[in-house]
Amino acid sequence: MTQRAVYLETFGCQMNELDSQLVQGALTRLGYAFTPDAGKADIVLYNTCSVREQAEQKVWSRLGELKSAKAARPDLVVGVLGCLAERDGVDLLRRMPVVDVLCGPGELDKLPGLLDNAVRTRLALTSDGDGHRSARQVALQGNTSRRSGTLAAAADDLEMLDLSRAISPVDHHGTAYVRITRGCNKFCTYCVVPFTRGAEVHRPPEHIVEECKRLADAGVLEVTLLGQTVNHYRFEDDAAVSVNGVVQPQKGRSYSGGHRRDPFEGERVTTFANLLYRIHEEVPGIQRLRFVTSYPRDFGDDVLEVMRDCPRICRYLHVPVQSGSDRILKAMNRGYTTGEYFEFLDRARAHLDQPEIGRPLMVSSDIIVGFPGETEADFEATAALLERSRFKSCFIFKYSPRPGTVAFDRLPDDVSDADKRRRNNLLLALQSKISDEISREQIGRVFDVFVEGVSRKALQKKGMSHGEIRKAHGAVALTVAGKSVSGEEDEGCSSGACSTGASWVTDADGDSGPVQLSGRTDGDNIVFFDVPGDAAAYVGRVVRVRVTGADRLSLQGVHEETK
């Protein structure tokens, strides 16, 4: 096969980013090459998110821009992957004939075959003078995404995408994601994920531990475990099924809340707490173990105790609350009250908050303002919750109706745009104040900092353009909530760091002066600090930094010693 260049851009959450990494690895093994320049690509892929309207509109804009490119190059293959493809299905092809390939998140193992067929079909259409037609290569879960338990023994082909993951020291900069669950059983009324990613599925623990070992062997120091409701992970050994010698993932078991310990804990069950402990003990090469996203109900003391007793598990929790009004939480079908959320926060901080030894517990969250029916009293209750909870950071969004959700079909969007904007801005200002206060509390403390790369500021100081910074960051672009974290909108790279630019900065013009690096504490605080000499020697390592300054977004410090 002639080597074809692929441009892959990712929109949305960490799950989408991991999906893109797995897709990139699978296609690279088949001889495809990846490029950061869409204009030089033979295949353009967008891995999409449909949770936030802004991210979705960005995808539509990208597809619109490709119409002229495809008119000039009718052999160009365009693919839409992920949740937007699954939700809109073949209607997307009718709306955007520029699209040749649709592949849902549960069918990504089929993507290589789809692309090969699309390339051949496009060449045939072009030679026939019908190059304006879509190649129409489609792989979607549809209603099979929530199969009955009797069919759960069928081979899980998507699991093979994780198992075949190629791990090389050049594929990472010391950090990696590992999926432990897929899908969701919660059916929050504003969320499309249960319909686009399917039912909750838990991967076999042996697969997860082995993947972590291979990552550690390749030099990864930090692993983030991923799942929509990660703390609901459990795998029942007695129910394990093998197909062709491969143990298959299991459907999640739903249960009502209020548990301080996993109700299915036992000798033949691997709970989330068990899994964390196994990875910590069996993979000592992983210096940092973190996880997202947690569901506040049913977050047991067993998990908190493992986090407390295992020093390499990060003191960081991302636990979306969404609203401070019990009435709105009920309308959202969140399954807990604000009182239960506060009880969880108090319990977590009692177990894990240890600022005196440089390990304060940092908690982040998500909030939606302007949900249908939200009154000023509901909004004020959310503001009060924000004050009480003291989140390190909080993603605050204006509600936007998402097609395919219960709220879209049943709840009128009755809060005005003006009220949504006002409430959103008030909460952002309040969270900014809280974040600034929490950051300043860290001044004088010493933290172990995982170095992600050279700061964007350092690269810009050396004269790198925004485009050069983006290319330095890698071929797979990432967009979160509709805003690029590797392109123009944030003037550079994720978290202010460009890991692949380190040697360029220290070598250019023979400048051996100090270079500003960017890293994170185990509580997920961004830290900037200067180092002398070769900055590349620090990237992907854990170093000691004393905090000397702070603002709402980051800490500034002095490098003390390498761990």
Side-chain angles (χ1 to χ4, degrees):
M1 181 186 75
T2 302
Q3 188 177 60
R4 298 187 180 277
V6 181
Y7 174 82
L8 172 58
E9 186 169 0
T10 307
F11 299 80
C13 60
Q14 295 100 325
M15 286 77 163
N16 278 19
E17 186 178 356
L18 175 58
D19 284 343
S20 289
Q21 291 170 359
L22 296 174
V23 163
Q24 184 179 13
L27 294 179
T28 300
R29 289 194 299 275
L30 294 173
Y32 292 87
F34 280 76
T35 173
D37 188 345
K40 296 179 180 178
D42 303 300
I43 299 170
V44 174
L45 301 175
Y46 296 124
N47 190 5
T48 63
C49 175
S50 59
V51 173
R52 305 292 177 197
E53 183 178 21
Q54 191 175 20
E56 186 174 312
Q57 291 304 317
K58 195 128 191 159
V59 176
W60 292 123
S61 176
R62 294 279 202 275
L63 292 173
E65 293 166 1
L66 284 177
K67 288 182 179 179
S68 58
K70 198 157 187 178
R73 295 178 50 205
D75 60 333
L76 177 67
V77 171
V78 178
V80 175
L81 320 178
C83 290
L84 179 59
E86 184 67 47
R87 191 198 71 194
D88 283 14
V90 293
D91 285 341
L92 192 151
L93 296 177
R94 287 190 282 270
R95 177 175 176 181
M96 284 287 180
V98 71
V99 176
D100 299 295
V101 174
L102 285 181
C103 188
E107 304 291 333
L108 290 175
D109 56 294
K110 298 180 176 63
L111 183 61
L114 296 177
L115 291 180
D116 185 59
N117 288 339
V119 168
R120 296 171 189 271
T121 304
R122 286 237 57 82
L123 291 173
L125 290 172
T126 301
S127 64
D128 291 341
D130 199 11
H132 66 282
R133 287 176 52 201
S134 168
R136 294 183 68 88
Q137 300 297 308
V138 178
L140 304 171
Q141 293 182 108
N143 58 16
T144 65
S145 67
R146 307 200 71 85
R147 299 179 301 184
S148 69
T150 59
L151 295 177
D156 189 325
D157 294 329
L158 188 59
E159 177 68 7
M160 298 307 297
L161 190 65
D162 294 86
L163 291 178
S164 62
R165 180 178 188 175
I167 300 168
S168 165
V170 301
D171 293 334
H172 64 83
H173 302 288
T175 184
Y177 295 123
V178 172
R179 188 197 331 265
I180 70 169
T181 74
R182 306 195 307 262
C184 185
N185 290 344
K186 291 305 173 191
F187 291 98
C188 300
T189 56
Y190 54 81
C191 185
V192 74
V193 168
F195 306 100
T196 58
R197 287 190 175 267
E200 189 175 272
V201 176
H202 303 164
R203 297 183 63 206
E206 298 299 335
H207 293 181
I208 297 167
V209 173
E210 178 60 28
E211 188 171 342
C212 289
K213 288 179 178 178
R214 289 190 288 124
L215 287 166
D217 290 342
V220 169
L221 299 184
E222 180 182 74
V223 163
T224 302
L225 306 179
L226 295 184
Q228 292 294 140
T229 50
V230 69
N231 55 305
H232 273 191
Y233 175 87
R234 67 188 52 78
F235 193 89
E236 300 178 36
D237 295 339
D238 290 337
V241 173
S242 294
V243 176
N244 297 324
V246 178
V247 179
Q248 299 298 293
Q250 293 179 357
K251 288 295 182 77
R253 182 187 296 192
S254 300
Y255 59 95
S256 58
H259 300 283
R260 288 293 189 92
R261 311 192 82 83
D262 192 302
F264 303 118
E265 186 176 19
E267 293 183 2
R268 302 292 295 169
V269 175
T270 300
T271 66
F272 182 55
N274 299 149
L275 180 67
L276 286 175
Y277 185 77
R278 279 197 62 181
I279 297 172
H280 184 273
E281 296 301 299
E282 296 179 31
V283 196
I286 300 300
Q287 294 189 26
R288 283 201 175 163
L289 182 62
R290 62 175 77 242
F291 53 88
V292 291
T293 294
S294 299
Y295 182 68
R297 195 186 69 192
D298 315 323
F299 200 108
D301 287 345
D302 50 350
V303 179
L304 296 174
E305 289 162 6
V306 170
M307 293 178 69
R308 179 196 63 202
D309 298 338
C310 295
R312 298 194 311 280
I313 300 179
C314 294
R315 302 293 177 92
Y316 171 72
L317 295 171
H318 179 67
V319 193
V321 63
Q322 305 301 4
S323 176
S325 162
D326 287 343
R327 190 178 67 85
I328 296 299
L329 287 175
K330 184 175 181 180
M332 291 178 168
N333 194 35
R334 286 295 288 171
Y336 54 81
T337 64
T338 54
E340 290 171 321
Y341 190 88
F342 288 141
E343 186 276 333
F344 157 72
L345 278 184
D346 292 343
R347 192 159 39 90
R349 285 173 170 147
H351 276 83
L352 301 175
D353 194 30
Q354 294 180 294
E356 68 282 358
I357 61 171
R359 302 204 73 192
L361 173 65
M362 295 293 172
V363 182
S364 65
S365 192
D366 296 350
I367 286 177
I368 297 172
V369 298
F371 190 77
E374 183 184 77
T375 64
E376 281 299 311
D378 295 321
F379 169 71
E380 289 168 4
T382 300
L385 178 139
L386 201 60
E387 286 271 22
R388 161 80 162 76
S389 299
R390 305 288 296 172
F391 299 125
K392 173 192 77 75
S393 59
C394 188
F395 298 98
I396 300 169
F397 303 96
K398 294 178 292 183
Y399 171 75
S400 57
R402 312 307 302 130
T405 64
V406 173
F408 182 86
D409 294 329
R410 300 182 184 178
L411 301 177
D413 183 20
D414 56 0
V415 180
S416 70
D417 287 339
D419 279 338
K420 287 179 183 178
R421 285 195 301 272
R422 175 178 58 82
R423 294 172 186 177
N424 191 70
N425 289 336
L426 287 171
L427 287 190
L428 287 172
L430 177 57
Q431 180 58 52
S432 178
K433 170 179 170 291
I434 294 169
S435 296
D436 188 68
E437 292 169 354
I438 291 175
S439 291
R440 295 184 188 282
E441 290 170 2
Q442 314 314 313
I443 294 176
R445 294 173 179 167
V446 177
F447 292 96
D448 290 334
V449 173
F450 179 82
V451 182
E452 295 180 326
V454 176
S455 72
R456 184 179 66 233
K457 178 181 177 182
L459 295 180
Q460 291 173 334
K461 183 179 178 182
K462 289 295 183 179
M464 270 184 122
S465 68
H466 298 335
E468 288 172 327
I469 292 173
R470 178 173 181 167
K471 290 179 182 179
H473 189 52
V476 178
L478 172 65
T479 305
V480 176
K483 295 185 178 180
S484 171
V485 295
S486 57
E488 300 82 3
E489 289 189 32
D490 78 339
E491 302 181 336
C493 303
S494 176
S495 307
C498 285
S499 52
T500 54
S503 60
W504 185 90
V505 170
T506 54
D507 293 341
D509 305 321
D511 186 357
S512 59
V515 177
Q516 187 183 74
L517 297 180
S518 173
R520 288 180 185 266
T521 69
D522 79 339
D524 204 47
N525 296 99
I526 299 172
V527 183
F528 296 106
F529 61 98
D530 290 345
V531 296
D534 184 9
Y538 294 88
V539 175
R541 300 176 65 184
V542 176
V543 302
R544 301 279 286 176
V545 176
R546 181 177 297 277
V547 177
T548 57
D551 58 37
R552 65 185 178 87
L553 295 177
S554 63
L555 309 176
Q556 298 85 47
V558 177
H559 171 240
E560 291 206 332
E561 61 180 89
T562 300
K563 185 176 179 181

